[in-house]
Amino acid sequence: MKDFIIPDRDFGTPAAKSKKLVTLTIDGYDVTVPEGTSIMRAAAELGISVPKLCATDSMDAFGSCRLCLVEIEGRNGTPASCTTPVMPGIKVHTQSPNVQQIRRGVMELYASDHPVPGLTDAANGDSQLQTMAARVGLREIRYQPVADHVRQYGAEGIANPDWRPVDDSNPYFTFDSSKCIVCSLCVRACEDVQGTFALTIEGRGFDSRVSAGVAEDNFLSSDCVSCGACVQVCPTGSLQEKSIAEMGLPDRSVITTCAYCGVGCSFKAEMRGDELVRMVPYKHGKANRGHSCVKGRFAYGYATHQDRILNPMIRDAITDPWKEVSWAEAMEFAATRMKGLQAKYGRNSVGVITSSRCTNEETYLVQKLTRAVFMNNNTDTCARVCHSPTGYGLGQTFGTSAGTQDFDSVEESDVIMVIGANPSAAHPVFASRMKKRLRKGAKLIVVDPRRTETVEGPHYKADHHLALTPGTNVAVVSALAHVIVTEKLYDEEFIRTRCDWDEFQDYMEFIADPKHSPEALELVTGVPAAEVRGAARLYATGGNAAIYYGLGVTEHSQGSTTVIGIANLAMLTGNIGRQGVGVNPLRGQNNVQGSCDMGSFPHELPGYRHVKHPEVRAIYEKAWGVTIDPEPGLRIPNMLDAAVEGTFKGLYCQGEDILQSDPDTHHVAAGLAAMECVIVHDLFLNETANYAHVFFPGSTFLEKDGTFTNAERRINMVRKVMAPKQGYADWEVTQMFANAMGANWGYTHPSQIMDEIAMTTPSFAGVTYEKIETLGSVQWPCNDKAPEGTPLMHIDGFVRGKGKFIRTEYVATDEKAGARFPLLLTTGRILSQYNVGAQTRRTANVVWHDQDLLEINPHDAENRGIREGDWVRLASRAGETTLRATITDRVAAGVVYTTFHHPDTQANVITTDFSDWATNCPEYKVTAVQVSPSNGPSEWQEEYAAQATLSRRILAAE
């Protein structure tokens, strides 16, 4: 799907949504388009390109450049084609002599106050202004500007007061105001597409300029979030990627999928030979619709970072330095060790951890490795520590373990409830679409202990912010349901038709109990009863109501219960099965949905089918020619426990850093240290590799073919844009290891793996690479019933048949604040960093976030003598670390917050081993802690840093 197959054309204005058609004539050709279409777009539909500088089909028309003027027979003047709608029967001329003369005059005025691109100008060949000047035939400039904004010095060497230096403060792009024509495209993109409102136009007339914030600001210090929307639309090169200046213009592009969060944005990887010049969001991407965030747009430099390991390595003991070896030697070493462990300790003594950063095909092979080669079900994935409660809760209530909507659905929501998620930081492209809907009048309910960026932004504010005490999600959700039931706000017709009525009657009796009322739970949750009642009434009666939730829901001891409670809310109010509603988990990693779909859990084969069912095992036993163990395997926490006990000895860990990402770091380290063969398959020597005996170098998303599945169940293509720098795609490495273990796999392309997935997994039965190429993407289920996929789930009925109401009894977590540890710690993410930071820490994104900080309320800080930027000791029952404090009222008194992106902080040394009752998902969001002043890094941090340095020694090549 390269550009010459699907042209990335810009039609100038958005498509009209009217079903009424209008026929008109443009330059002698008849064209029929929907009512409300602009003349510019109608011409583009005919293949007639009207010159333009301020118009793009991602935003409504603005009409400032006056270059797109046309003539309409029977009308006076020359209207702008971008702002003039079509009318039946009109005759339009886009190239009359009069129009051409006016356009040249307009362009001449622009050029009079604009530098002429020279051979050494980075904008040369990348400037729409330059292209349009050629299009209109500009050959001379007769005007002189009132002020000279182009030259730094005048004729006599005197400094020019009207000149401004290039703003290169942003690490990824520059702003040269002398090239700006004040078309306002960048300002409008920042407002309409991104929703940050960081840019404005200052001054008047010839002194008008784009400004990032107030006069003292530059692009780095302003509110700009570096999404790149302004750079993408700039027609003059005034805003331009630094990579263009450094590398030159690209000569080809490949469409692929971002490897960061679960939104799954599509990008054009623009290449020059085998070098990546820039990533540009692909306008036909159905998840992102041509938008991006700072990570996907710019933070790809980790792929060529000097820390990347490109050769396999082995060592006998974790205290030894690494030794670089050939792939063949590494495979023989790893296979011999793993075979020996199984021979000595039994076949259940080894297992795998699959990656949510790798493709579906690669994840499928890793779980196949343990089931068909190791002959056990010891497989788990990072979803264990994030969204495993989603799988359980939605599976129990709806019958399937995934979100119900596509991202387009939010455009039809009237009420949006965000629970335990901060899309502005963790899923920014979806957040931009959500905020656009909020600015148009949709109502917002936020359930979160912090006043996150999502609670309030430019031109919108949450109608209700339920700032609950960490750990009381179930109580709040039950209180919302109590109001809906007792005030009879529920949708009885929907419940009788779509749900089990007897189960609803039981649930209604349970939830109507006064102990679940907002008043009764106010002391528990810390949320005023009136606020809860207002939110419940708004959700139940406000029209199309959608729920979006994140790890603030799942990473609790009652994570599964909260997911069930959320599903109950949606069924109570009939907010399932149409656009604008639904229950939507915001997945953290790019393929965490796919890793779950592919059978990465120890109790489920691909497609969420339990291993205990003989008819399911028979499918894979026939396909793989093996006997599959009917007993579920070990989860990650079980693997670590068994390792400490001495019964689990070998681990193949692909693309996950459990030492940094999993809770109770001391316990994880003890488990890894007790294993006799740890194989780490990754891009870098991560923290887990400190305890590894074998290192398989991995490939980035730029170096492989395959698919990712995003949070909306959308299967997107990942396309290889360059050769793997270490020689092999990750699926090839896993295949080599499986064959070294005695398998006889013979895949030659990932499409063959997808064919096997489709053959054995009902929800993927209709998925092929050819279909994805044709449709652009496919949302599962994709089978005979839904040959082109399923954007919306549960339209006519639930997957399980009738929707199931389940009681949600609130049980307080065992992790409680007290005299010794009086504060509650909760954790999360920040916009510029991603997960454990292995990728983003190796990019210029560190300019925004170079260390984890502890957010603390001014009251708590004052009581402890803590000032802004002070080192503080953060201690819990599990361990302690130190980091710097930032004082803010975004967290309530009694609550502190930090991120986990930097290994030198190791925030998870603080978190405990408490976990969700159903899935073992760790309780990251509630840890009782104490905060006190400190002089710097703790003794443990210094010891850890020393041990990591020792572990990462690599012997010089012979």
Side-chain angles (χ1 to χ4, degrees), residues 736-861:
M736 286 192 295
F737 179 52
N739 290 341
M741 288 289 298
N744 189 30
W745 297 355
Y747 305 105
T748 59
H749 192 269
S751 61
Q752 297 170 335
I753 306 172
M754 179 55 76
D755 290 342
E756 184 175 310
I757 295 167
M759 180 181 70
T760 56
T761 310
S763 56
F764 278 68
V767 178
T768 64
Y769 276 29
E770 291 75 18
K771 181 174 290 186
I772 300 173
E773 291 280 6
T774 300
L775 299 178
S777 62
V778 175
Q779 289 174 267
W780 68 258
C782 178
N783 46 35
D784 291 340
K785 293 181 180 179
E788 293 191 358
T790 311
L792 298 180
M793 296 284 284
H794 318 301
I795 295 176
D796 299 316
F798 290 98
V799 171
R800 71 181 311 279
K802 294 286 189 178
K804 183 179 181 65
F805 284 94
I806 300 174
R807 292 187 175 205
T808 52
E809 191 72 62
Y810 168 64
V811 179
T813 174
D814 290 333
E815 181 69 3
K816 296 179 175 66
R820 186 180 173 198
F821 301 106
L823 306 176
L824 290 178
L825 169 71
T826 186
T827 61
R829 298 184 180 184
I830 199 165
L831 172 64
S832 61
Q833 295 293 330
Y834 170 71
N835 205 268
V836 297
Q839 294 150 276
T840 45
R841 282 187 285 106
R842 293 176 171 91
T843 70
N845 279 27
V846 293
V847 74
W848 291 286
H849 190 270
D850 62 355
Q851 60 184 303
D852 294 317
L853 299 172
L854 184 75
E855 290 186 5
I856 185 169
N857 184 270
H859 173 77
D860 294 324

Side-chain angles (χ1 to χ4, degrees), residues 123-287:
N124 193 19
D126 196 36
S127 167
Q128 191 178 357
L129 180 71
Q130 190 181 44
T131 303
M132 291 300 133
R135 281 273 307 276
V136 303
L138 180 65
R139 295 295 177 263
E140 62 176 336
I141 302 172
R142 296 167 294 170
Y143 308 114
Q144 292 297 318
V146 175
D148 184 355
H149 300 111
V150 175
R151 298 168 185 82
Q152 182 176 1
Y153 297 100
E156 299 179 0
I158 300 173
N160 178 5
D162 295 310
W163 175 83
R164 288 188 181 181
V166 173
D167 181 353
D168 63 355
S169 59
N170 189 286
Y172 296 119
F173 61 84
T174 58
F175 172 59
D176 185 347
S177 63
S178 71
K179 297 177 182 177
C180 179
I181 60 171
V182 200
C183 66
S184 294
L185 265 177
C186 59
V187 176
R188 293 162 53 218
C190 190
E191 295 175 357
D192 297 345
V193 179
Q194 168 57 29
T196 298
F197 290 76
L199 304 182
T200 188
I201 302 294
E202 67 174 15
R204 302 182 67 182
F206 270 102
D207 290 325
S208 299
R209 290 185 173 100
V210 170
S211 174
V214 299
E216 294 76 18
D217 273 328
N218 54 33
F219 269 85
L220 184 61
S221 64
S222 72
D223 290 337
C224 170
V225 294
S226 300
C227 68
C230 59
V231 181
Q232 189 175 351
V233 297
C234 179
T236 68
S238 178
L239 286 156
Q240 189 175 57
E241 299 94 339
K242 289 182 176 179
S243 60
I244 294 293
E246 295 166 358
M247 303 173 67
L249 292 175
D251 53 27
R252 65 184 180 94
S253 64
V254 181
I255 310 303
T256 191
T257 304
C258 179
Y260 280 115
C261 78
V263 173
C265 297
S266 296
F267 278 88
K268 288 194 302 180
E270 297 195 344
M271 310 294 295
R272 191 185 66 179
D274 204 31
E275 287 185 304
L276 177 59
V277 177
R278 63 183 171 190
M279 296 286 280
V280 178
Y282 185 48
K283 66 182 294 182
H284 300 293
K286 294 178 182 178

Side-chain angles (χ1 to χ4, degrees), residues 665-745:
T665 302
H666 292 309
H667 182 61
V668 177
L672 290 170
M675 298 180 197
E676 295 181 20
C677 183
V678 174
I679 304 169
V680 167
H681 183 174
D682 216 310
L683 301 174
F684 307 101
L685 281 174
N686 59 22
E687 307 310 303
T688 303
N690 294 345
Y691 293 91
H693 307 84
V694 181
F695 187 88
F696 292 158
S699 55
T700 71
F701 77 108
L702 298 168
E703 302 163 353
K704 63 179 75 172
D705 290 307
T707 58
F708 292 153
T709 305
N710 74 350
E712 47 173 3
R713 297 169 286 103
R714 186 180 303 282
I715 307 166
N716 277 315
M717 290 299 301
V718 180
R719 295 179 179 85
K720 183 165 69 173
V721 303
M722 61 179 69
K725 294 188 179 301
Q726 62 358 332
Y728 298 97
D730 292 325
W731 67 268
E732 294 176 294
V733 174
T734 301
Q735 176 167 271
M736 286 192 295
F737 179 52
N739 290 341
M741 288 289 298
N744 189 30
W745 297 355

Side-chain angles (χ1 to χ4, degrees), residues 556-575:
H556 287 273
S557 60
Q558 280 200 289
S560 293
T561 309
T562 307
V563 173
I564 291 169
I566 289 170
N568 288 341
L569 287 178
M571 292 187 292
L572 275 175
T573 55
N575 280 305

Side-chain angles (χ1 to χ4, degrees), residues 440-463:
K440 290 183 177 180
K443 305 298 184 181
L444 176 65
I445 303 166
V446 175
V447 184
D448 199 292
R450 293 173 71 228
R451 193 181 71 250
T452 66
E453 300 94 323
T454 301
V455 172
E456 183 176 2
H459 303 288
Y460 82 89
K461 184 178 181 180
D463 296 85

